[in-house]
Structure formats: structure tokens, C-alpha cells
Amino acid sequence: MAKGPEAFRTISEAAAELGVAQHVLRFWETRFAFVRPMKRAGGRRFYRPRDIAILANVHRLLHREGYTIKGVQKLHRDLGLKSLAGAGWPIAEPPAPPGLAKPRRAIGSPGSAAHSGLEAALVALEAAKARLDGLLGAP
């Protein structure tokens, strides 16, 4: 019988759900102060649903988005825990605050769908900036 979505997970269940090894979760506890599962007698870890959401976003940032450990630590400092829990960002593409370590992988070659999507987003952002500048009276 499968556990419900609000049930606590053991480290083996959390690791399986996230697709990482158990030692990776233990390592992340040493690098990210905000990763703190409940511990019972004997040190057994239990991950709450919110812990799983935070860990899923850490995994996404490190492995899919190409952030460094220091980059994720800086995101936590700059944007807070809610952003890492998924409340502040869309799943597809988190914003990169200034000074953050750049992703290690290429976004896409010119002419690719990813590149075209980024160009369209840039045009939309520039238009929004122009509207805000006009409202604020900026030069």
C-alpha cells in the first residue's frame, strides 16, 4: 500500500522519490542549512512533504539548471526558503539573481527552439522594462 502525499518519508523513500542516493541527501544536509529532516531516536530521518519539495527543487537546480552548491546557497540567502519550496518559482525556469553562479550547460544554439524561446522572453522583458521606465519617469 502506497503512502499518502502528506505522509512522512524515510531516507530510503525520499531518495527513491527524488532519484538520488541516500548519501546524497545526507551530504546535502551538510551543505544546506535549510535541509533539516526530523530525526527520531537513534537518528532515523523522516522527511516531511515540504522537505521533499525543497529537496526536489535543490535537485532540479543542481542537476537540471546547472547551479553550483554555492549558487543554491546564495538563492536561499537572497530569496528565502519559500522560493526553494516551490512557492516562488515556476518549475521550468527559475530567475537568476545578479552575481549567481551561471549554469554549466548551454541553453541552446541559435535557431533552436530553446534559443527562440529565450529571445521571445527577452523581447517581452525589454518591453515590460520600457513600460515601467515610462511609468517611473526614468530616462
Side-chain angles (χ1 to χ4, degrees), residues 89-100:
W89 289 345
I91 288 298
E93 194 70 38
L100 193 64

Side-chain angles (χ1 to χ4, degrees), residues 9-82:
R9 307 283 194 261
T10 64
I11 192 168
S12 61
E13 292 168 333
E17 188 170 328
L18 295 168
V20 299
Q22 293 178 27
H23 70 271
V24 171
L25 295 180
R26 289 188 206 98
F27 174 74
W28 287 349
E29 281 183 46
T30 68
R31 294 295 183 249
F32 305 117
F34 51 86
V35 176
R36 290 286 170 247
M38 281 183 26
K39 289 189 181 176
R40 296 288 178 157
R44 187 163 185 191
R45 292 165 173 83
F46 287 95
Y47 293 86
R48 297 169 284 258
R50 181 181 170 115
D51 296 329
I52 299 293
I54 291 167
L55 289 167
N57 276 320
V58 166
H59 183 265
R60 177 180 55 83
L61 290 168
L62 291 172
H63 295 280
R64 282 193 280 170
E65 303 296 332
Y67 285 85
T68 62
I69 288 175
K70 287 188 185 247
V72 175
Q73 290 168 340
K74 184 166 176 31
L75 280 176
H76 175 251
R77 278 193 310 275
D78 293 350
L79 302 177
L81 190 58
K82 284 186 180 181

